[in-house]
Amino acid sequence: MLALVGAGKGVSPTSARAAHYYSRPDVAYVPFHDAPPVEYGLLWPATGNTPKVRAFVRTVVETAALQADAVRSGRTAPGRV
C-alpha cells in the first residue's frame, strides 16, 4: 500500500504510529482528528492455532498489560513503551 501511495496512486488511512515505523520520503502522514481511534488486533488462520502462535499471543497480551499499567501510573506516555 505504501508503494502505491508513494507513487501518487492513492491514499490510505492508517494509525498514528505508522509514521514512526514506516517513515518514507515519498509518503506524507497527515493526522485527522474527527475519526474514531484505530483498534489493533491479532489475526491468524483458524488452522494456525499452534503452540508458537499461542505463546506469541500470550507475550503480546502480557506486554500490552504492562504498558497499560505503566501509562496508568504515569511512568510512560500512551503509545510509548
Side-chain angles (χ1 to χ4, degrees):
M1 180 57 67
L2 288 175
L4 291 172
V5 171
K9 298 188 182 223
V11 298
S12 177
T14 188
S15 68
R17 285 185 161 192
H20 174 75
Y21 291 107
Y22 304 106
S23 179
R24 295 171 54 121
D26 56 346
V27 173
Y29 291 89
V30 180
F32 50 95
H33 304 284
D34 58 348
V38 174
E39 298 290 334
Y40 290 94
L42 296 173
L43 305 169
W44 60 89
T47 57
N49 190 9
T50 65
K52 286 183 180 180
V53 168
R54 288 191 298 274
F56 176 74
V57 170
R58 208 170 26 254
T59 300
V60 169
V61 169
E62 290 169 1
T63 301
L66 289 172
Q67 180 178 0
D69 288 344
V71 168
R72 277 193 294 273
S73 69
R75 292 189 309 263
T76 186
R80 303 277 183 207
V81 176

